[in-house]
Structures are given as C-alpha cells and as structure tokens.
Amino acid sequence: MTNPQDTPRVLVAGSANLDFVVRAPHIPAPGETVLGGAFQTFAGGKGANQAVACARAGGVATHMLLALGDDAFAAPIEASLQGAGLTLHTVRPSGVATGSAFICVDDQAENAITVAPGANACLTAAHLPPLPGFSHLLMQLEIPMEAVTAYALAAQAAGVPVALNAAPAQPLAPELLAAVDLLLVNEGELRTLAGLQGSIADCLAHLPCPLVVVTLGARGCVAREGSSFYVQTGFAVHAVDTTGAGDTFCGALVAALAQQTPMAQALRQASAAAALACTHMGAQTSVPTHHAVAAFLAQSPQPQDESSIEALRQYAGLS
Ligand code: RIB
C-alpha cells in the first residue's frame, strides 16, 4: 500500500468556468446564425479540467487554486471538482460572476469557444498557497498573466517544477518562459511562441524550456526533452466532442511525470486519456479514470504502427 507521504502532490493554479454548450451542424461564420440542438451546461475551464484529469489519472494528490464568483454557477463547478477528489484552495471575490464559456460543438466534434473570465480574472500573486511539498505546479493562461508569472517565479525559487499549458495562445515574457520546465502547446500555440515559419521540430528546438510537448489533435503528439525527440501517434476513436481533450492530455501527462513515469509511457497514457475524452460530451464529464485508460491501452496495439510513426515524423519535420 502506498504511504500518503510518498504520494506526489500536484498544484494546478487556473481557471474554472461553467460551460454553456450547444451542438450545431457547423460553427457559425461571422454574421451567420445557425440553428443548433438542445443546450447543456458542464463544469469546465482549462485549469479545472486539467486538475480533474490529473486526479483521475491516479497516484497523485491534486490540489487546485481557483476563483469562483458568488452566484449559482459556482456550485456545479465545486461539485465536479470535489467529486474528482481535489483539494480546493478557493478564492471568492464578492460581487463577481463565476467564469463562463460559450461553446459551439459541430458535427465533426470540433468546437469554438468564447470565455467570459469573471472571477478567474481576480487571482493575484497573493493567493498562491505554500509550495513546499508539491512535485509540480501546472498552469494555463486563462488567469491574469501577472499571476501566472508570479506563481511560476515562486515555484522556480522553491524548486518546484513548472508546467505551463500556454493556452489560449499569448506571447510569453522571457522571464516566464525561463521559469517553465514543461511547456505544453498545440500547433498554433507552438508557432506563436516560437515565432518561426519552420517545421514543428524547428519550433520545438527553438524554445528554451527543457521539455516541450506539442499536441497535434488526432495525429498524436511530439515532444522534445533536451536534444531527444519523442513521437506518439494518436489513438483512433469515434469523437463526439473534442472539448477538454487537450486539457485531459496536460493533466494526465503531469500526473504521469510526477510519478516518474518514463517519457514514452507518459505520452502514451496522456494520449490515450485525451482520445477517450473525445468520446463523450462535455469537459470534466468526459475525462476518463485511470482504469478506463488502462483498459483502453490493454486492447490497443503496441508498439505503434511503423507507417503511422513515419507519417507523424514527416509531419513534424523529423524525417
Ligand atoms: O479547453 C476547454 C475549456 O476551455 C472549456 O472547458 C472552457 O471552459 C474553456 O476554458
């Protein structure tokens, strides 16, 4: 039996939103109105989704620093986070709305999201809990950049590795980038941060962080750790809603790395979790447990198919 003292502790500092979701045949273009289906609400927010993914990955005690408003939207978010077993450090500014997100999901399972930050915008440097004892700090960019930077610098000073999912895409100050140990991005975010027109491999090599992982949707992901590159092809699933799949990847990967899982295995587990997250509607509702991921991986071929690996290597500019 694992001694709770030996269980890695991950702190996620980030956003929590209530997602208002409608499925439609396609995502409306500017000026267009589209008739969709019934609307649903789900607990979401990149920070909260990643915290749930970290907790459901198993083997990690997950804490979350978040801010909620004093309105009815806060309760379903808290219920979801508490149901996932998180330890919450909640800031409650008065007279401020809980963060909300307005999401259209199309029939190809892709989405378009607009976020009203609400209480998420109230997190400041002063809200960071004591860092000793945490094995990683995981953040995103849906809370103020000043808070993200202050938390990253505090973690760096305390010797706690910093994982940053640079989403939504924004330029990062050099002092923040220098404090990041693990940078998690999608292809667009990678190009924004690298500021290069070159290949994915060139962009990965250009960034100063020791470990950079780029997620490439259904294609899979590519990572650079020091001078070593890893590729993990995507798992084929019937996708109904990709919302939260990237968040699931981030949370699952940090949980695996916090447990010293070798990089190739950690990428495989995170990719499987992200694929499964696409098979159900909603963000936190679709994050799989480690049991579901283990069962899925047990019936998935290993090693990866050679021709798929080569196609991914070519796409990334590694071959
Ligand atoms: O990454 C998906 C999330 O982005 C949604 O849950 C939404 O709340 C926005 O934060």
Side-chain angles (χ1 to χ4, degrees), residues 15 17-19 43-46 49 100-101 103 113 115 142 243-244 247 283:
S15 59
N17 299 328
L18 191 62
D19 291 351
K46 294 187 194 304
N49 299 343
S100 51
I103 304 179
I113 305 177
V115 173
E142 285 188 336
T243 308
D247 297 331

Side-chain angles (χ1 to χ4, degrees), residues 86-192:
L86 301 182
T87 300
L88 300 180
H89 306 255
T90 310
V91 175
R92 295 180 189 277
S94 63
V96 179
T98 296
S100 51
F102 301 86
I103 304 179
C104 181
V105 178
D106 72 14
D107 284 345
Q108 284 68 52
E110 295 300 335
N111 61 57
I113 305 177
T114 306
V115 173
N120 296 308
C122 297
L123 283 176
T124 69
H127 293 128
L128 186 66
L131 289 171
F134 285 108
S135 48
H136 284 80
L137 170 66
L138 171 59
M139 298 184 289
Q140 315 72 33
L141 298 178
E142 285 188 336
I143 61 172
M145 189 63 89
E146 299 74 32
V148 170
T149 304
Y151 300 166
L153 295 179
Q156 185 184 41
V160 176
V162 175
L164 177 66
N165 173 219
Q170 296 174 52
L172 301 182
E175 64 165 350
L176 172 56
L177 210 47
V180 172
D181 299 279
L182 163 56
L183 183 67
L184 299 142
V185 286
N186 65 23
E187 191 172 350
E189 292 151 3
L190 176 71
R191 293 193 186 284
T192 299

Side-chain angles (χ1 to χ4, degrees), residues 269-282:
Q269 289 174 198
S271 298
L276 287 174
C278 298
T279 61
H280 295 90
M281 283 296 289

